[in-house]
Short mmCIF file of all heavy atoms in Angstrom, two decimals:
data_model
loop_
_atom_site.label_atom_id
_atom_site.label_comp_id
_atom_site.label_asym_id
_atom_site.label_seq_id
_atom_site.Cartn_x
_atom_site.Cartn_y
_atom_site.Cartn_z
N MET Y 32 64.22 62.56 62.04
CA MET Y 32 62.85 62.42 62.38
C MET Y 32 61.88 62.60 61.22
O MET Y 32 60.84 61.92 61.02
CB MET Y 32 62.59 63.47 63.49
CG MET Y 32 63.17 63.23 64.81
SD MET Y 32 62.18 62.07 65.62
CE MET Y 32 60.71 62.99 66.18
N THR Y 33 62.21 63.56 60.40
CA THR Y 33 61.36 63.90 59.21
C THR Y 33 61.35 62.79 58.26
O THR Y 33 60.25 62.31 57.80
CB THR Y 33 61.82 65.21 58.52
OG1 THR Y 33 62.05 66.22 59.49
CG2 THR Y 33 60.95 65.65 57.36
N THR Y 34 62.53 62.06 58.00
CA THR Y 34 62.56 60.93 57.07
C THR Y 34 61.78 59.86 57.58
O THR Y 34 60.92 59.31 56.83
CB THR Y 34 64.08 60.44 56.93
OG1 THR Y 34 64.90 61.65 56.69
CG2 THR Y 34 64.34 59.56 55.86
N VAL Y 35 61.93 59.54 58.93
CA VAL Y 35 61.12 58.48 59.61
C VAL Y 35 59.68 58.78 59.34
O VAL Y 35 58.89 57.86 59.01
CB VAL Y 35 61.51 58.25 61.02
CG1 VAL Y 35 60.53 57.39 61.73
CG2 VAL Y 35 62.95 57.70 61.09
N ALA Y 36 59.17 60.03 59.65
CA ALA Y 36 57.77 60.33 59.64
C ALA Y 36 57.26 60.18 58.24
O ALA Y 36 56.15 59.69 58.02
CB ALA Y 36 57.57 61.89 60.04
N ILE Y 37 58.00 60.61 57.22
CA ILE Y 37 57.54 60.42 55.74
C ILE Y 37 57.44 58.98 55.35
O ILE Y 37 56.41 58.61 54.75
CB ILE Y 37 58.57 61.21 54.85
CG1 ILE Y 37 58.45 62.79 54.86
CG2 ILE Y 37 58.23 60.77 53.33
CD1 ILE Y 37 59.58 63.57 54.30
N PHE Y 38 58.49 58.27 55.71
CA PHE Y 38 58.32 56.68 55.42
C PHE Y 38 57.21 56.18 56.12
O PHE Y 38 56.42 55.38 55.64
CB PHE Y 38 59.70 56.01 55.91
CG PHE Y 38 60.77 56.04 54.79
CD1 PHE Y 38 61.91 56.76 55.00
CD2 PHE Y 38 60.46 55.23 53.71
CE1 PHE Y 38 62.83 56.78 53.93
CE2 PHE Y 38 61.42 55.25 52.69
CZ PHE Y 38 62.48 55.98 52.69
N GLY Y 39 56.94 56.63 57.48
CA GLY Y 39 55.79 56.10 58.18
C GLY Y 39 54.58 56.45 57.60
O GLY Y 39 53.69 55.45 57.37
N ILE Y 40 54.29 57.63 57.01
CA ILE Y 40 53.20 57.92 56.33
C ILE Y 40 52.88 57.04 55.02
O ILE Y 40 51.85 56.49 54.84
CB ILE Y 40 53.20 59.48 55.96
CG1 ILE Y 40 52.96 60.22 57.25
CG2 ILE Y 40 52.06 59.79 55.03
CD1 ILE Y 40 53.26 61.85 57.03
N ILE Y 41 54.08 56.93 54.32
CA ILE Y 41 53.91 56.13 53.12
C ILE Y 41 53.68 54.68 53.47
O ILE Y 41 52.68 54.11 52.83
CB ILE Y 41 55.21 56.22 52.22
CG1 ILE Y 41 55.45 57.57 51.76
CG2 ILE Y 41 55.28 55.26 51.12
CD1 ILE Y 41 56.83 57.89 51.18
N ILE Y 42 54.25 54.08 54.44
CA ILE Y 42 53.97 52.66 54.75
C ILE Y 42 52.60 52.50 55.19
O ILE Y 42 51.78 51.52 54.87
CB ILE Y 42 55.02 52.18 55.73
CG1 ILE Y 42 56.27 51.90 54.96
CG2 ILE Y 42 54.61 50.91 56.42
CD1 ILE Y 42 57.54 51.72 55.85
#
Side-chain angles (χ1 to χ4, degrees):
M32 287 284 287
T33 309
T34 310
V35 168
I37 289 167
F38 271 110
I40 289 165
I41 291 168
I42 288 168

